[in-house]
Each structure stands twice: as C-alpha cells, then as structure tokens.
Amino acid sequence: MNYKYLLVLLMAACCCSCSHKVYTESGIKREFRGAWIQCVNGQFQGLGTENMKKNLTYQLDELKKDGVNAIIFQVRAECDALYNSPYEPWSRFLTGTQGVAPYPYWDPLEWMVRECHRRGMEIHAWINPYRAKTKNTNALANTHFAIKHPERVFAYDGQYILNPGIPQNKDYICEIVRDIVKRYDIDGLHIDDYFYPYPAAGQIIPDDKEFAMYSNGIKNRNDWRRYNVNVFIKQLSETIKGTKPWVKFGVSPFGIYRNKKSDPSNGSNTNGLQNYDDLYADVLLWVKNGWIDYCAPQIYWEIGNKAADYKTLITWWNKHAANRPLFIGEDVERTVKYADLSNPRSNQMPAKFNLHKQMKHVKGTVLWYSRAVADNVGNYGTVLREHYWKYPALQPKMTFIDGKIPNKPRNVKPVRTTDGKYVLFWERPKAKKWNDVVDKFVVYRFAKGEKINLDNPSKIVAITYDTMYELPYRQGNTNYIYVVTALNRLSNESKGVKQKIKL
C-alpha cells in the first residue's frame, strides 16, 4: 500500500458473486467483510513468538466481534516469508533479521489458518509478487533471491524489484504461490498494488536490455510492460486454479485506473497516479477476462477530495469492474477523520456505507488496516458491531468458479454431554469431488411459529467449521427451531435440516 501518492493527492486537494443484493432490516446475507493485517509497518518486529500470537489473537477476537469474516494476512513482503518456505528466507518483519527463524519456532501462516477458521473467518494469504527489498531493509540473507540472482532484479528508489521483463521471474513467483496454495489450507491468494514500481522523480526503470530481448514484436515500451504484467496475472491465476480450484485470487489495485484526461471514454474524473499508465497494470482487462476472482481497489480518499473524490471513484469502479465481485478498500483512519459534507457533526462512515448500499456490483469491503479497527479508532469498530455488521454474513457467491449446492448435514440432533452441556451435533455429508466437500456450516435459530427464512442473517447464530454447536440451555420451557445448513469451499449453501429444541 503506497501512501506517498495518497499524501500528494490530499495536499493537492487541500492546498458479493450474487446477481443482486438481498437487503433486509436485519442486514445483508452475503457480503465480503475483510481486513488487511500487514507486516511491513513493523508491528510484529521484536515481539517474539508468544507476544505476536497475543497481538494477533487480540486483533482476530476484536475483528470477529466487529463482524469481519475474512482476513488478508501479509506473508511475503520482499521475497521473504512469514511462513516456513523452502524457497525464501524468514522475514525480518517477523524476527528482526532476515533469514533467522522465529524462536520459539512457529509458522505464522499455519497458525493464522487455524485461528481464522476457528472463528469462522476466511484467510487469504497476501504476497507482494515483484518487490524484493523495501527501502528500509539494509541487509539481505545469503539465501535471498537478490543475492542468488542479482541479474534478475533491478534497483529503484531504494528498493529491489524482480524485473517483470524477464520471463523466468513470473515462473519463479508462480512457483512460490503454488507452494503456498498446496501446503496451506488458505481460502484466497491476494496481491496488492505493487507491479512495476511507483514512479519516483529522477528514477528510470532499467529494462533496455530486456525490452530488446523479449519485446515479442511490441514496439511501444509501455505496452510491453503492461503485456508483461498481463501475462503474469494470467499465469498466476492458472497456477492457483491448477493447484486448488476453490482458492480465490484477489487483487487490490491503486484506486485510480485512469484519469479522464488520459482516457476520455473510460477514465474517471480524477487527477492522480494511474494503474494503467504509471504502474502498467491493466486491471480492467484482468476483470474482463476473468483472470481474477475479486477486485478490491484501494479507494482511500474522502468524499469531496478534489483530486480523487471517493464518490466519483466508487461509482466508476461499480460501472467498469462488474464482471467480478467488487470489494472496496476503505481507509479507516481517513474515514473517521473527515466530516460528512452534508452532516458536519458526523464523520464519513455513514455516507460511505450508504454509497456501498447504492452500488449494485459492490459485494463487500476490505478495511485498511486491521489494527485501526481492532483499536476502535474513531469508534469505527463499535459502529460496525452495533449497526452495519451486527449480524453475520456469508461470503458472496462465485458461481463462475462453482455454483453447485452441497448435500445437507447428516444426523442433526441435540445431545446431553457428560459435562452437563446441551450440544447440537451433526455429521458432514459424503463427497466425491472437491466441490462436494463441505467446508463449514451455518446454524440458524427461529422462535416457535416464526417463519423459517434463511435469507434473514439476524437468525444466524453461528458460522462454524465445527460439527457441533453448544446450545444456550435455560430451563427447557421455550421451544425453538434450529436449522443447520452446509457450505462448500465457495460458500454455496445446502438445504437446511430442521430440529425442534426446548431450551
């Protein structure tokens, strides 16, 4: 996430996939509610194993209370790893020194998969594909890619970048991703806005040699750079699907695709850095061709920003990126900092959520950043848990990957356990293919005589990977109907199994 350009734009200004949304008074049944947990800000450095687990546990617990149902966890920031990689060194953002394993030993990604699933959340592993060194990294491990293959990276503005013009580099990145997807039970693979480097004054991308060798007949260098990134995105998508077809591939691009002055037909009425022209990222092509499974543009500005107005941009993305589920990247701190233009006594959170509701193709939100939500900056987390995300939500459907409904849970029945608890148990249905496999379950509760409406999320009492739910037994005088459904890896929901229970 690049803030240099966000600051420039601010200074200039100041000198889900269903075909439709089901809104009820009780909320939305399907919505992606994500939060980014980053490592590059140094929040984990020096903590040690147990304190980092405590830090993450705190964040996950608070985010769960706030209604978050997906975590995007940064595991590869600079050709390094916050997981046990056979290819790349342990990250300095984990241990303080690149190449040094955590002590006591643990695997943060493995731990996060388990902890997120225990809370009913999805876990998306977030990598930065091309960046090999951040500006503030001063020492690289002997096993680091830039040390072993210096000819395949270039220096730019204090960073090292895997040269996108060298075909072998995309193969290498895809091998890294194949390893992650194969070995970890993740729900998604996520990349953000770092493709070719963000432009820096006086800096030139040194790719003359590669353009001469690998131009493939493309005369314009900018078109060639976009071609390199396009080929990579397509190959990365095929790598993920070829390994585990249910793992979602998401991209979080910079918030402006093109300005109108660059593209009068398709550009937005904005004035800032452009994905297409400055980062060589043709995001709309990826959406149009179905190479990605969701798009989460970083629309971090406020409503009314003169250079990059939030309302202008969410409307633009809603219109132009409808071929895949659209999730909006939200800056929590900026949202609570700025006043609502029509109601100065309020921050911009209500106005932004109202815009989400108006946009047909917006299927969710990703919050930047998780700690700001967990720490309840500007009361943001409280408002989520008490209003906008008060009730649970299932993930948006992605029928372009799979639309098959799984079989129902089996043998649903309440049981008195030996320790005196009253527990609703069930069994997983049998499966022959990957899209038959049941991943988790939804438990609903209805009062006696109440209409059974599974589109009402206020009736959801649990979304769980377990095959049991502890019932809130009181005196056994009140009748309820519980309904249990099964979800496959793409959150397609089975028919429900009813059970009458007295509590």
Side-chain angles (χ1 to χ4, degrees), residues 160-171:
Y160 288 159
I161 307 295
L162 267 66
N163 193 332
I166 298 176
Q168 293 91 332
N169 282 345
K170 70 179 186 307
D171 297 337

Side-chain angles (χ1 to χ4, degrees), residues 355-422:
L355 283 170
H356 281 231
K357 186 175 181 180
Q358 294 172 22
M359 301 295 152
K360 178 180 179 182
H361 300 295
V362 171
K363 307 296 182 185
T365 308
V366 188
L367 302 174
W368 178 258
Y369 49 97
S370 63
R371 187 71 193 225
V373 186
D375 288 348
N376 201 25
V377 172
N379 216 36
Y380 197 100
T382 297
V383 176
L384 284 179
R385 72 176 67 179
E386 293 183 354
H387 184 54
Y388 295 110
W389 294 353
K390 181 177 181 179
Y391 301 112
L394 277 62
Q395 297 296 333
K397 289 183 180 179
M398 293 188 176
T399 55
F400 50 86
I401 301 177
D402 171 59
K404 184 178 180 181
I405 296 174
N407 292 325
K408 298 183 293 185
R410 299 186 302 156
N411 299 325
V412 179
K413 57 184 177 181
V415 175
R416 288 281 185 189
T417 60
T418 54
D419 57 358
K421 294 179 180 179
Y422 200 28

Side-chain angles (χ1 to χ4, degrees), residues 290-346:
W291 295 342
I292 62 178
D293 298 319
Y294 67 86
C295 182
Q298 300 167 31
I299 310 180
Y300 288 166
W301 302 276
E302 71 277 8
I303 299 170
N305 186 296
K306 294 178 182 178
D309 172 54
Y310 179 95
K311 182 177 180 180
T312 296
L313 283 167
I314 192 173
T315 303
W316 186 93
W317 284 99
N318 180 68
K319 178 181 177 181
H320 291 273
N323 195 45
R324 284 293 182 262
L326 176 63
F327 312 146
I328 303 301
E330 296 279 358
D331 186 313
V332 171
E333 292 182 342
R334 182 167 298 201
T335 296
V336 300
K337 175 182 177 181
Y338 287 92
D340 186 338
L341 300 182
S342 61
N343 181 13
R345 292 177 297 176
S346 171

Side-chain angles (χ1 to χ4, degrees), residues 248-262:
K248 304 166 187 176
F249 176 29
V251 176
S252 177
F254 185 75
I256 298 172
Y257 175 69
R258 299 193 85 186
N259 299 309
K260 190 175 284 293
K261 65 183 180 182
S262 299

Side-chain angles (χ1 to χ4, degrees), residues 56-75:
L56 287 169
T57 297
Y58 160 73
Q59 293 193 52
L60 293 178
D61 285 346
E62 292 303 305
L63 293 169
K64 172 68 175 176
K65 294 173 188 175
D66 294 338
V68 169
N69 62 16
I71 298 297
I72 301 175
F73 181 55
Q74 189 174 26
V75 299

